[in-house]
């Protein structure tokens, strides 16, 4: 098994010889493989390195409100194949948490809980938001290590996140099933997949499922170009089409609007203007949620062909993790225990090529990894005749 090559120096710790106390939490949207990671980390930490391991419930909320569970042998057993997370999760942020209807900065409470339990380190298992929150806690003085999970596969500095492979299988199976009903009715079927602002899930499930059109956030689309691609199929005798759309995909006009909103936010010369620009951007994304409904209507109108929409939604996050996700999550978890043993903190474990690397949190947090428009799989899709709507 490949090892971890560290980019950091060992951090001096006077308690080097004492058993370490480790806390674990899962934060952000759940995904398949979280329990495999908790099990890998917990078992390796306890049984191999003799550490004491406790869990915090419901993400950073459990840390702020001191909701804990002992991760003993019984808790860590029999969970490898279970979906979800035995620790529960939430999208709560330490610095902006809703407590009794008020938004409060709970960072001090989090730090107090950490010290109350005499923790040597905290492991945060999560997606992009979690990396940012973990960095804030590292800056507040806590020893933090993170593991990258999300079905979106969009965390910077890592080639893979666990959860992605299972979601890819679920989305691909859905596309396979929709093919037969699309054929029977000679319809266009639009399949909306998750992925937040990145198109990894749409691109890979679209290619695996043989989609005729794939729409990604990274390649703004033109409805007329999609309709033209479908008409060409019809002319060549193909009476159905499958369109896979990432939830974050946008038309050219929408992409232009977002670009202007982002520029307004980045160039804002006062706090007030920045807040207004951020609100406008948030409103755009809130309203964008229904975009595949509009796309369905537009395509039906432009092609004259019956068109239906299937939104896969949270189905993609539920259930048993794939073998690949179990293996990857176990590898990350067990290597994380080794990293803790060496007192390396302020890092995320990342897959780069075929090796796990330690990436400073500051390099991973606050960035997203999108599909480069010249990605080889886009070229590959185009070569088999797939339209990307551009
Ligand atoms: O980040 C994972 C993800 O499933 C995204 O694909 C999606 O945009 C989002 O979470 C959905 O969030 P929620 O769980 O809050 O509905």
């Amino acid at each position: 098994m490949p090892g971890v090559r560290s980019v950091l120096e060992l951090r001096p710790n006077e308690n080097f010889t004492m058993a370490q106390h480790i806390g674990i939490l899962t934060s952000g949207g759940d995904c398949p493989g979280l329990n495999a990671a908790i099990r890998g980390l917990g078992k390796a930490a306890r049984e191999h390195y003799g550490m004491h391991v406790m869990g915090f419930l419901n993400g950073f909320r459990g840390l702020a409100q001191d909701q804990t569970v002992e991760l003993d042998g019984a808790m860590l057993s029999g969970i490898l194949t279970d979906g979800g997370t035995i620790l529960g999760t939430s999208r709560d942020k330490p610095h902006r948490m809703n407590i009794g209807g008020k938004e409060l900065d709970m960072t001090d409470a989090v730090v107090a809980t950490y010290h109350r339990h005499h923790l040597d380190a905290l492991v945060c298992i999560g997606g992009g938001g979690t990396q940012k929150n973990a960095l804030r806690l590292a800056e507040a003085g806590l020893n933090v290590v993170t593991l990258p999970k999300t079905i979106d596969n969009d965390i910077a500095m890592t080639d893979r996140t666990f959860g992605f492979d299972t979601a890819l299988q679920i989305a691909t199976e859905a596309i396979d099933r929709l093919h037969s009903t699309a054929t029977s009715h000679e319809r266009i079927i639009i399949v909306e997949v998750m992925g937040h602002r990145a198109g990894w899930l749409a691109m890979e499930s679209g290619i695996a499922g043989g989609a005729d059109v794939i729409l990604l956030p990274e390649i703004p689309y033109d409805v007329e170009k999609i309709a033209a691609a479908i008409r060409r199929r019809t002319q060549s005798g193909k009476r159905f089409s499958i369109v896979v759309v990432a939830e974050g995909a946008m038309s050219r006009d929408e992409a232009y609007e977002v670009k202007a909103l982002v520029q307004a936010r980045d160039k804002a010369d006062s706090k007030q203007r920045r807040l207004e620009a951020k609100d406008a951007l948030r409103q755009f994304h809130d309203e964008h949620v229904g975009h595949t409904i509009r796309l369905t209507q537009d395509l039906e109108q432009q092609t004259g062909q019956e068109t239906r929409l299937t939104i896969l939604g949270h189905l993609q996050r539920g259930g048993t993790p794939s073998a690949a996700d179990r293996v990857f999550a176990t590898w990350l978890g067990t290597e994380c225990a080794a990293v803790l043993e060496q007192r390396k903190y302020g890092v995320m474990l990342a897959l780069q090529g075929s090796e796990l690397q330690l990436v400073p949190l500051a390099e991973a947090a606050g960035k997203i990894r999108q599909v480069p428009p010249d990605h080889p799989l886009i070229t590959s899709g185009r070569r088999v005749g797939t339209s990307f709507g551009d």
Side-chain angles (χ1 to χ4, degrees):
M1 189 161 74
V4 173
R5 204 184 305 143
S6 171
V7 293
L8 294 183
E9 292 302 312
L10 282 184
R11 185 160 159 166
N13 183 326
E14 60 277 14
N15 295 330
F16 221 79
T17 53
M18 289 170 64
Q20 288 196 64
H21 284 64
I22 304 302
I24 308 177
L25 61 81
T26 52
S27 170
D30 72 338
C31 74
L34 282 168
N35 286 325
I38 295 167
R39 170 183 174 271
L41 167 56
K43 284 195 172 209
R46 276 170 45 85
E47 292 162 24
H48 195 71
Y49 294 110
M51 298 172 185
H52 173 257
V53 187
M54 67 189 300
F56 290 94
L57 301 176
N58 308 320
F60 292 102
R61 180 165 292 271
L63 200 55
Q65 300 186 328
D66 203 359
Q67 302 162 357
T68 61
V69 61
E70 193 64 29
L71 287 178
D72 57 15
M75 279 293 285
L76 293 167
S77 182
I79 61 172
L80 174 64
T81 59
D82 292 345
T85 160
I86 58 164
L87 294 176
T89 186
S90 72
R91 294 200 183 272
D92 289 310
K93 304 173 175 71
H95 66 296
R96 246 180 24 222
M97 199 174 288
N98 189 310
I99 306 283
K102 283 194 192 138
E103 203 167 79
L104 300 179
D105 184 344
M106 299 297 284
T107 308
D108 288 348
V110 163
V111 172
T113 306
Y114 179 96
H115 291 303
R116 190 175 309 118
H117 292 286
H118 307 288
L119 293 184
D120 292 286
L122 174 72
V123 179
C124 304
I125 310 177
T130 304
Q131 308 307 321
K132 282 200 267 182
N133 291 321
L135 176 62
R136 285 192 189 100
L137 295 186
E139 286 166 353
L142 307 192
N143 294 330
V144 185
V145 176
T146 67
L147 301 184
K149 69 87 205 160
T150 163
I151 65 163
D152 304 337
N153 203 27
D154 63 348
I155 301 181
M157 307 297 293
T158 182
D159 297 343
R160 241 329 117 118
T161 60
F162 67 83
F164 176 71
D165 183 74
T166 310
L168 175 58
Q169 277 190 24
I170 295 169
T172 303
E173 189 190 337
I175 297 165
D176 291 349
R177 287 177 184 277
L178 289 166
H179 254 97
S180 62
T181 172
T183 318
S184 307
H185 287 269
E186 300 193 340
R187 284 173 170 160
I188 299 170
I189 292 201
I190 298 182
V191 193
E192 183 191 301
V193 301
M194 280 186 166
H196 199 223
R197 313 255 161 88
W200 298 103
L201 199 49
M203 179 177 73
E204 293 202 24
S205 64
I207 288 177
D212 307 298
V213 179
I214 300 176
L215 304 177
L216 312 177
E218 297 85 351
I219 304 179
Y221 63 80
D222 179 339
V223 181
E224 280 172 23
K225 294 255 169 73
I226 305 170
I230 290 173
R231 269 189 237 108
R232 278 197 298 278
R233 277 178 57 77
T234 312
Q235 280 154 14
S236 71
K238 303 213 170 105
R239 298 288 309 149
F240 76 95
S241 292
I242 300 285
V243 181
V244 172
V245 192
E247 62 178 342
M250 284 179 205
S251 68
R252 283 186 181 155
D253 288 348
E254 289 165 334
Y256 187 76
E257 198 182 331
V258 168
K259 201 172 165 194
L261 290 170
V262 169
Q263 275 173 358
R265 182 200 60 195
D266 294 346
K267 285 189 186 151
D269 52 7
S270 69
K271 201 174 169 196
Q272 180 61 23
R273 287 231 170 84
R274 193 174 156 77
L275 279 179
E276 283 166 11
K278 274 176 114 174
D279 272 353
L281 200 56
R282 194 171 307 125
Q283 193 181 336
F284 173 90
H285 286 300
D286 286 351
E287 286 167 9
H288 191 61
V289 164
H291 76 109
T292 46
I293 299 174
R294 294 192 290 279
L295 178 66
T296 306
Q297 291 160 348
D298 290 349
L299 273 185
E300 185 162 282
Q301 211 171 37
Q302 293 220 14
T303 59
Q305 190 170 359
E306 247 186 351
T307 306
R308 294 286 189 268
L309 169 65
T310 299
I311 299 178
L312 296 183
H314 295 82
L315 266 180
Q316 296 158 101
R317 284 190 356 207
T320 312
S322 67
D325 275 336
R326 291 180 212 177
V327 170
F328 184 35
T330 301
W331 183 24
L332 281 170
T334 52
E335 285 293 350
C336 182
V339 169
L340 295 170
E341 168 68 8
Q342 293 169 57
R343 266 88 170 171
K344 292 176 184 171
Y345 307 127
V347 289
M348 176 183 83
L349 274 83
L351 184 70
Q352 295 182 352
S354 60
E355 290 199 337
L356 288 185
Q357 303 282 356
L358 296 182
V359 173
L361 275 177
E363 282 181 26
K367 297 167 195 140
I368 71 165
R369 193 177 74 97
Q370 288 190 300
V371 179
D374 60 351
H375 192 282
L377 286 181
I378 293 181
T379 310
S380 170
R382 291 192 199 279
R383 285 181 183 155
V384 293
T386 307
S387 163
F388 285 83
D390 56 342

